[in-house]
Amino acid sequence: MTTHFITAEVDLQETPTELEKAIEAELQKQGEPLRWAITSVDEAQQTVGVEAVVTTSAE
């Protein structure tokens, strides 16, 4: 298992619950999220910046 630090950009959602689900779905594309945080919000573009640590299985 290896860990990776990643950043992602996710579209803002109508509710915090929907935003959390969208973030987790985006992070799952890179691996299993260990932790993540919203680090920026771009109101003009309607996006949030996310930094995360994910794990992937060793190949």
Side-chain angles (χ1 to χ4, degrees):
M1 177 183 345
T2 58
T3 59
H4 302 280
F5 177 80
I6 63 167
T7 59
E9 194 171 279
V10 178
D11 291 335
L12 278 174
Q13 304 294 315
E14 291 293 320
T15 67
T17 302
E18 290 174 355
L19 179 59
E20 182 180 357
K21 288 178 182 178
I23 291 169
E24 290 179 355
E26 184 65 29
L27 296 178
Q28 284 288 335
K29 296 176 185 176
Q30 302 291 324
E32 182 66 33
L34 290 178
R35 62 184 174 99
W36 57 266
I38 296 173
T39 56
S40 64
V41 177
D42 186 335
E43 289 184 48
Q45 298 289 329
Q46 293 290 294
T47 60
V48 295
V50 178
E51 292 181 353
V53 176
V54 300
T55 60
T56 57
S57 58
E59 307 258 341

